[in-house]
């Protein structure tokens, strides 16, 4: 079979799912859930995994493998619930289809084509590096290089890899990864940068522009509050999530977080978190939260015994995904 033939016959239009009229509607989702911790990297909590028919997700490393197992039904949550369309079909493309170590590259491609005749809504393309199958490795590379074909596929695609690779980065918009006991989904944007404690660093022109953007955003979100000035007054630390601007001469603000670690109470307090309007709903807030949770997890218990936060009423459901409980107290 030639490469052009495999591209023409493999990727068929998925079967329709009853009630799914938008390709942006979740067909698999775990808002919040628990794991038993016996998996790789001692993962205990899952947050914000979501697959739609538009999804292009890179599942990276052992943590990404756990997310794939949850999607395939090979692993169950210890708490919480995975929402899955009752007629959802997931095709797992790997060397097991044609036989690990026994099939040629052409036979692997033929097995993939046969599996996709079922017209699944989600396809997991598995690198399966640990299988050590050279023929499958060649088939996997061939399939992944057909970016135009994969991009036009009308279903969701999850690419499972041992480590981030260029071909997957070009194709995928999000990734599944883990750390500090958490498994989560985040935008796959290499240009994102987390700038820590910017108020206690020597400012430059670029930072000053970002701080003005923080002040503007905070006034829009927090009832005309200037969070930069409030952070200075209350001794909060300020972290910025930024990306390279199109002209690469400056950085563009995506979101920010104000936080404070109290030595007296051994408390990590998240005072403010906001994301720029055009970036909302894309995982940037989750990225800030995961950064904070990992930062707190790396502190000794004598310095950080618990985590608290202040939140607007409409943001409470977002924080509940991370196990926070609404105590309803004044800021």
């Amino acid at each position: 079979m030639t490469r052009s033939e495999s591209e023409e016959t493999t990727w068929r239009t998925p079967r329709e799912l009853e009630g799914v009229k938008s390709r942006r509607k979740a067909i698999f989702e775990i808002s919040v859930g628990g794991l038993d911790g016996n998996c790789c990297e001692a993962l205990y909590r899952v947050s914000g995994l979501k697959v739609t028919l538009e999804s292009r997700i890179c599942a990276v490393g052992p943590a990404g493998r756990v997310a794939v197992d949850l999607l395939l039904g090979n692993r169950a949550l210890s708490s919480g619930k995975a929402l899955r369309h009752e007629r959802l079909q997931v095709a797992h493309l790997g060397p097991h289809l044609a036989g690990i170590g026994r099939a040629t590259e052409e036979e692997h491609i033929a097995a993939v084509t046969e599996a996709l005749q079922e017209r699944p809504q989600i396809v997991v393309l598995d690198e399966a590096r640990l299988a050590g199958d050279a023929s499958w490795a060649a088939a996997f590379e061939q399939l992944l290089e057909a970016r135009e074909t994969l991009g036009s596929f009308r279903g969701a695609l999850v690419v499972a890899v041992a480590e981030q690779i260029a071909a997957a980065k070009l194709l995928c918009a999000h990734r599944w990864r883990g750390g500090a006991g958490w498994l989560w989904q985040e935008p796959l944007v290499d240009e994102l940068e987390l700038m820590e404690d910017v108020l206690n660093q020597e400012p430059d022109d670029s930072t000053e522009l970002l701080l003005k953007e923080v002040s503007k955003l905070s006034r829009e979100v927090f009832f005309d509050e200037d969070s930069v000035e409030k952070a200075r007054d209350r001794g909060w630390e300020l972290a910025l999530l930024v990306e390279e601007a199109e002209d690469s001469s400056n950085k563009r603000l995506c979101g920010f977080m104000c936080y404070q670690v109290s030595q007296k109470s051994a408390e990590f307090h998240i005072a403010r978190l906001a994301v720029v309007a055009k970036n909302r709903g894309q995982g940037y807030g989750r990225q800030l939260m995961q950064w904070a949770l990992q930062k707190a997890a790396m502190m000794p218990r004598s310095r950080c015994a618990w985590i608290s936060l202040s939140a607007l009423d409409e943001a409470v459901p977002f924080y509940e995904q991370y196990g926070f409980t609404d105590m309803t107290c004044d800021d």
Side-chain angles (χ1 to χ4, degrees):
M1 178 180 291
T2 66
R3 181 166 302 188
S4 61
E5 287 173 340
S6 71
E7 291 178 5
E8 289 174 0
T9 59
T10 299
W11 301 94
R12 300 185 62 193
T13 302
R15 296 182 188 276
E16 292 186 3
L17 290 172
E18 183 178 355
V20 180
K21 298 181 180 179
S22 169
R23 297 186 67 235
R24 295 183 179 181
K25 183 175 181 178
I27 54 178
F28 174 82
E29 185 172 19
I30 302 176
S31 295
V32 61
L35 294 166
D36 58 18
N38 293 325
C39 56
C40 60
E41 298 192 1
L43 299 174
Y44 294 95
R45 201 162 186 87
V46 187
S47 175
L49 302 191
K50 179 180 179 180
V51 183
T52 73
L53 290 172
E54 290 186 339
S55 292
R56 297 292 183 269
I57 299 170
C58 187
V60 183
R65 174 65 54 185
V66 173
V68 168
D69 285 344
L70 289 168
L71 172 63
L72 294 173
N74 296 334
R75 184 184 296 273
L77 295 171
S78 60
S79 64
K81 184 178 181 180
L83 301 179
R84 179 192 302 265
H85 193 285
E86 60 181 3
R87 296 193 176 182
L88 181 65
Q89 290 180 279
V90 183
H92 182 198
L93 309 184
H96 60 283
L97 294 178
I100 297 175
R102 301 196 305 270
T104 64
E105 177 182 349
E106 290 74 19
E107 289 170 334
H108 281 304
I109 293 294
V112 165
T113 302
E114 182 177 354
L116 293 178
Q117 295 304 306
E118 296 298 321
R119 297 168 57 196
Q121 295 84 21
I122 301 177
V123 172
V124 176
L125 181 55
D126 195 342
E127 180 186 32
R129 183 182 296 183
L130 293 179
D133 189 322
S135 295
W136 170 252
F140 174 82
E141 182 179 355
Q142 175 180 327
L143 291 165
L144 198 56
E145 283 181 349
R147 289 197 301 274
E148 184 175 343
T149 301
L150 295 177
S152 62
F153 175 53
R154 299 291 293 174
L157 177 67
V158 177
V159 182
V161 291
E163 58 189 27
Q164 194 72 64
I165 57 177
K169 284 182 3 184
L170 290 171
L171 180 66
C172 298
H174 292 85
R175 66 183 162 197
W176 289 336
R177 58 175 299 201
W182 286 81
L183 170 63
W184 70 91
Q185 181 170 317
E186 66 183 17
L188 209 172
V189 183
D190 278 348
E191 292 76 16
L192 283 180
E193 175 187 353
L194 201 298
M195 300 173 61
E196 297 187 47
D197 198 15
V198 294
L199 295 181
N200 290 321
Q201 298 178 13
E202 191 68 30
D204 55 24
D205 291 343
S206 177
T207 303
E208 291 292 349
L209 288 173
L210 288 169
L211 291 177
K212 289 180 180 179
E213 289 298 310
V214 171
S215 296
K216 179 182 177 182
L217 175 59
S218 64
R219 288 191 181 100
E220 295 171 355
V221 176
F222 300 117
F223 309 104
D224 208 33
E225 171 189 290
D226 185 340
S227 294
V228 174
E229 289 305 313
K230 195 157 191 175
R232 288 182 171 131
D233 291 342
R234 297 199 175 186
W236 296 342
E237 294 187 43
L238 176 61
L240 309 181
L241 186 64
V242 301
E243 67 179 358
E244 294 293 334
E246 292 183 1
D247 59 8
S248 297
S249 60
N250 289 306
K251 295 172 181 176
R252 188 182 69 81
L253 181 71
C254 296
F256 74 90
M257 174 183 287
C258 297
Y259 64 97
Q260 186 176 42
V261 180
S262 170
Q263 295 182 352
K264 183 178 179 180
S265 60
E267 173 189 0
F268 189 111
H269 180 68
I270 300 170
R272 299 289 185 269
L273 187 154
V275 174
V276 174
K278 74 174 186 177
N279 294 130
R280 292 170 193 162
Q282 301 178 42
Y284 290 86
R286 295 184 186 280
Q287 195 150 341
L288 281 163
M289 279 299 298
Q290 294 296 345
W291 170 80
L293 293 171
Q294 289 185 62
K295 185 176 181 70
M298 290 186 291
M299 294 179 179
R301 192 169 181 82
S302 59
R303 189 179 176 207
C304 178
W306 61 301
I307 307 172
S308 64
L309 57 84
S310 301
L312 300 173
D313 289 346
E314 57 266 29
V316 169
F318 170 76
Y319 294 112
E320 286 178 338
Q321 297 179 25
Y322 296 92
F324 290 94
T325 301
D326 181 11
M327 305 298 290
T328 313
C329 60
D330 294 332
D331 180 23

